[in-house]
């Protein structure tokens, strides 16, 4: 549950998440209480022809990867992430001010739950890539 009103302050507006992402996070983590600022609706990817099928203008997409026996690192996942990353670097996006920008490594954060997978990703991706 979110923090009770008598125990602290819950900041209900996010200035970062597009509504398509915010609604999912809000429902799953914040009891539906987190709301996107209206400016966030303007943010989206501008996908060029031939973009990777994993990419969409906004939102969350689940990509299952077939692999077997991988517990703390997965070569197949790392390769797929590298493919997506490389294709994403060819795309542009619109920010909350309506300005079109080229995507750079500064715009991407890759999160992995295990140190072995983080290290594998670092070996597959160009530097610098932020990872957790």
């Amino acid at each position: 549950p979110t923090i009770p009103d008598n125990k602290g302050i819950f900041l209900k507006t996010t200035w970062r998440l597009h509504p398509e992402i915010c609604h999912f996070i809000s429902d799953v983590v914040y009891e539906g209480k987190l709301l996107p600022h209206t400016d966030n609706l303007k943010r989206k990817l501008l996908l060029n022809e031939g973009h990777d099928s994993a990419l969409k203008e906004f939102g969350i997409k689940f990509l299952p990867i077939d692999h077997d026996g991988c517990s703390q690192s997965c070569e197949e996942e790392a390769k797929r992430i590298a493919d997506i990353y490389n294709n994403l670097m060819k795309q542009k996006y619109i920010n909350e001010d309506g300005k079109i920008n080229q995507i750079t490594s500064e715009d991407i954060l890759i999160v992995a739950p295990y140190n072995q997978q983080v290290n594998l990703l670092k070996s597959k991706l160009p530097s610098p890539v932020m990872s957790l």
Side-chain angles (χ1 to χ4, degrees), residues 27-88:
D27 291 345
V28 171
V29 181
Y30 297 107
E31 301 174 41
K33 295 178 182 178
L34 185 65
L35 301 171
H37 188 275
T38 55
D39 283 353
N40 299 357
L41 187 59
K42 300 173 190 173
R43 294 180 176 163
K44 68 178 181 176
L45 290 176
L46 294 175
L47 300 172
N48 58 33
E49 198 169 314
H51 68 273
D52 191 292
S53 63
L55 301 177
K56 53 193 240 179
E57 287 185 328
F58 46 78
I60 298 172
K61 186 171 184 178
F62 174 71
L63 298 172
I65 304 292
D66 285 333
H67 58 77
D68 188 36
C70 304
S71 62
Q72 294 188 17
S73 69
C74 179
E75 192 72 36
E76 295 87 351
E77 287 179 5
K79 181 185 179 326
R80 187 66 182 109
I81 290 167
D83 290 345
I84 294 167
Y85 175 90
N86 290 326
N87 190 269
L88 190 55

